[in-house]
């Protein structure tokens, strides 16, 4: 039994889709969330910059005595996971491996689409792991950078969102993929719009559930679970004050949380 919180971070609100699954799968766990609202998007930045930001965030989370860190951001997972693991002596989880496992589980015709930020797609993290797991899978990857801005703006179901989705996704549909990995934690907040665009024959793969399962198994195996009847505490931190964060928090988690603004550059 370990009461220390789990640290979870993203560039903004996207990681809340992972928080939601952690809250479902591990309801007793205390959570410290950090959203880097001052410095997003990460998806257009270099590996060096994303890794520098990620290290600062892990240092901040360590001041909150976290027992494990979840990188609830595909961009940081694909660019910085290895370096973070080498730098910090704490269990650190990314979202790519669980996403790959889920995609392999979902695809029947072995044609998988991956959408993510420019940086995630450029890293080829999904393609590499999918090819290692099953070389017969055909992978079609496409960066969809505008989706992040739409989510941060709260434009998840309007005409602009629908037209953007159609524009980005039409050629993936034409490849006859049967599974589409939402390789950016912001994208599940556009699930309805993306789902309507690709239709019922294409299954949307959200790595968040598989990530939560993986973290639970690890904590159980290492006797790090928080057990008992105590009500879990969840604290939210951001690097710049935005209305969007509170609004999306309410939408994603069905509860109002007031985030605290911190100076992440100080870490
Ligand atoms: N939500 C993040 C991801 O999963 C990054 C979005 C961004 O800041 O560009 O990649």
């Amino acid at each position: 039994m370990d009461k220390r919180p789990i640290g979870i971070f993203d560039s903004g609100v996207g990681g809340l889709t992972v928080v939601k699954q952690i809250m479902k799968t591990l309801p007793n766990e205390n959570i410290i969330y950090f959203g880097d609202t001052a410095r997003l998007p990460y998806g257009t930045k270099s590996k060096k910059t994303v890794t520098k930001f990620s290290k600062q965030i892990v240092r901040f989370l360590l001041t909150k005595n976290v027992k494990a860190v979840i990188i609830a951001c595909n961009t940081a997972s694909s660019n910085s996971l290895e370096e973070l693991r080498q730098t910090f002596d704490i269990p650190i989880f990314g979202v790519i491996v669980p996403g790959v496992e889920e995609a392999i589980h979902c695809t029947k015709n072995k044609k998988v689409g991956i959408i993510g930020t420019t940086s995630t797609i450029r890293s080829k993290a999904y393609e590499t792991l999918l090819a290692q797991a099953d070389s017969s899978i055909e992978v079609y990857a496409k960066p969809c950078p505008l989706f992040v801005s739409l989510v941060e703006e709260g434009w998840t179901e309007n005409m602009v969102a629908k037209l953007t989705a159609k524009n980005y996704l039409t050629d993936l549909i034409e490849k006859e993929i049967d599974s589409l990995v939402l390789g950016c934690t912001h994208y599940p907040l556009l699930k309805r719009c993306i789902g309507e665009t690709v239709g019922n024959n294409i299954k949307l793969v959200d790595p968040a559930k598989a990530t939560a399962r993986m973290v639970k198994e690890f904590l159980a195996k290492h006797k790090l679970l928080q057990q008992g009847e105590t009500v879990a505490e969840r604290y939210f931190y951001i690097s710049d004050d935005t209305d969007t964060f509170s609004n999306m928090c309410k939408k994603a988690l069905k509860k109002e949380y007031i985030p605290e603004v911190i100076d992440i550059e100080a870490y």
Side-chain angles (χ1 to χ4, degrees), residues 10-12 14-15 40-44 72-76 117 120 148 183-186:
D10 178 45
S11 60
L40 81 111
Y42 279 14
T44 51
C73 172
N74 288 261
T75 306
T117 64
T120 297
V148 173
C184 170
T185 52
H186 279 68

Side-chain angles (χ1 to χ4, degrees), residues 67 80 110 136 183 205 229-230 259:
K67 60 185 168 190
S80 317
K110 301 209 174 191
S136 67
V205 179
E229 296 300 308
T230 49

Side-chain angles (χ1 to χ4, degrees), residues 30 52 57 60 70 87 94 106 115 128 131 143 156 166 175 198 203 215 252 254:
N30 299 319
K52 179 185 143 195
I57 297 167
F60 162 70
I70 304 174
T87 310
C106 280
I115 51 173
T128 308
T156 51
K166 190 155 183 265
K175 300 286 185 209
V198 299
K203 192 155 184 342
V215 173
K254 308 275 176 277

Side-chain angles (χ1 to χ4, degrees), residues 194-266:
I194 294 173
E196 280 170 7
T197 308
V198 299
N200 293 335
N201 294 335
I202 298 179
K203 192 155 184 342
L204 301 185
V205 179
D206 175 1
K209 261 191 207 163
T211 304
R213 269 201 312 271
M214 186 181 274
V215 173
K216 184 176 181 181
E217 278 166 22
F218 177 90
L219 295 180
K221 189 170 163 202
H222 293 86
K223 308 215 176 334
L224 290 171
L225 283 170
Q226 154 80 304
Q227 277 153 345
E229 296 300 308
T230 49
V231 179
E233 291 175 6
R234 284 123 191 183
Y235 294 102
F236 293 81
Y237 297 85
I238 50 181
S239 49
D240 196 15
D241 207 359
T242 64
D243 288 342
T244 313
F245 190 88
S246 307
N247 292 339
M248 290 313 284
C249 226
K250 216 187 297 174
K251 193 169 169 188
L253 307 178
K254 308 275 176 277
K255 193 172 164 187
E256 198 149 5
Y257 289 99
I258 309 294
E260 187 181 318
V261 181
I262 61 144
D263 176 12
I264 196 65
E265 297 284 354

